[in-house]
Amino acid sequence: MDARQHRAALAALEIIEWVPAAGIPEPALPLIEKGRPVHDQRPAPQTLDQRESSTEELGWEALRARVAACTACELCRGRTQTVFGVGDPRARLVIVGEAPGAEEDRQGEPFVGPAGRLLDEMLRAIGLGREQVYICNILKCRPPNNADPTPAQAAACRPFLARQIALINPQLILAVGRVAAQNLLQVTTPLSRLRGQIHHFATVDPGASLPVWVTYHPAYLLRSPQEKARAWEDLKAVRGLLERPSP
Ligand code: URA
């Protein structure tokens, strides 16, 4: 293998080329950790995402393309497609769910399965059509067996959700279900204690936040229809909050 082929092989393995720093004697064997020599004090090579422009600057189309191409976590390997979000980009209400399920993964749209049909009914109950709100999820890829998002998966996807919310700048965010609420608000409080009060989602503007209301996930309501009365209380609160004049 000549020097050029050697460099190409190292690059394919994402191992940077070994270049001894001036004045530092080269060790007998280069120590490599995560693809770079352990005593290399230079900044680590940037990942593709770091090299691209920040998510915070993207418009809708660029954001959608960034999500579609995302390989930031292992969920990219099992997806049929990413599930970006749907609805009015100028909506007053953003609904945040957990993650795509099997049907959403197939169709590329959030909340299109049985839980989605109930969500549509819940919205209709407060006079809103699906097309009048914006619907998205904490995760843009389907977790296998509909597992809860891991902290790493949620963190990898968070910039996308944050940018969607920033672009919409809604009057209110409705988090549906424990997983959505806890991840959105970055808390571990049980859903029962999150319901019934206004929370705040910190936006990228320093000191600014958007109000968040929390209710049950429609899939949970399908399994526990006795909780629909409580969900209705939440929905009435949402309607009331939306009717408030915006500050
Ligand atoms: N459940 C969710 O939380 N999101 C979806 O998109 C579908 C089901």
Side-chain angles (χ1 to χ4, degrees):
M1 189 184 283
D2 65 22
R4 195 183 48 78
Q5 287 169 323
H6 185 223
R7 275 199 303 277
L10 290 179
L13 293 169
E14 293 183 38
I15 295 173
I16 61 165
E17 199 180 348
W18 178 251
V19 182
I24 301 175
E26 185 173 354
L29 282 174
L31 299 170
I32 303 286
E33 185 186 66
K34 290 189 182 150
R36 63 198 309 257
V38 288
H39 66 275
D40 186 348
Q41 297 300 306
R42 293 170 299 174
Q46 287 194 318
T47 63
L48 193 60
D49 272 358
Q50 287 168 326
R51 263 182 275 134
E52 288 171 353
S53 63
S54 155
T55 308
E56 287 170 27
E57 295 161 12
L58 300 180
W60 279 112
E61 281 322 303
L63 181 63
R64 185 184 286 276
R66 183 75 63 89
V67 168
C70 180
T71 56
C73 82
E74 69 284 4
L75 295 182
C76 65
R77 292 198 285 272
R79 72 186 177 215
T80 305
Q81 57 193 312
T82 53
V83 178
F84 181 71
V86 72
D88 183 352
R90 286 177 304 278
R92 288 184 302 145
L93 179 64
V94 168
I95 315 277
V96 178
E98 178 177 336
E103 201 49 43
E104 289 77 20
D105 174 72
R106 245 190 307 276
Q107 294 192 34
E109 184 170 328
F111 283 101
V112 288
R117 286 190 283 281
L118 179 55
L119 178 63
D120 289 349
E121 281 176 31
M122 292 162 72
L123 291 172
R124 231 186 338 264
I126 52 169
L128 289 171
R130 187 178 172 90
E131 68 293 340
Q132 290 173 282
V133 302
Y134 192 87
I135 307 175
C136 53
N137 283 308
I138 297 290
L139 295 188
K140 310 302 186 211
C141 295
R142 183 189 182 204
N145 307 314
N146 301 331
D148 282 1
T150 65
Q153 291 162 357
C157 244
R158 193 171 174 84
F160 300 141
L161 177 64
R163 185 60 187 151
Q164 286 175 304
I165 292 173
L167 284 167
I168 300 167
N169 191 27
Q171 198 175 327
L172 181 67
I173 301 170
L174 176 64
V176 296
R178 174 187 64 82
V179 170
Q182 290 181 344
N183 277 288
L184 191 69
L185 300 170
Q186 310 264 265
V187 296
T188 55
T189 317
L191 182 94
S192 56
R193 287 188 30 224
L194 291 173
R195 286 183 54 245
Q197 56 184 300
I198 295 180
H199 303 274
H200 299 278
F201 175 79
T203 64
V204 284
D205 296 332
S209 68
L210 291 168
V212 177
W213 200 255
V214 173
T215 191
Y216 297 102
H217 195 286
Y220 171 76
L221 293 174
L222 289 173
R223 295 192 302 274
S224 312
Q226 72 281 5
E227 302 290 11
K228 283 186 179 173
R230 288 207 176 100
W232 176 231
E233 292 306 314
D234 298 336
L235 291 169
K236 283 190 290 185
V238 167
R239 189 171 55 190
L241 289 166
L242 289 175
E243 281 166 3
R244 275 192 197 174
S246 8

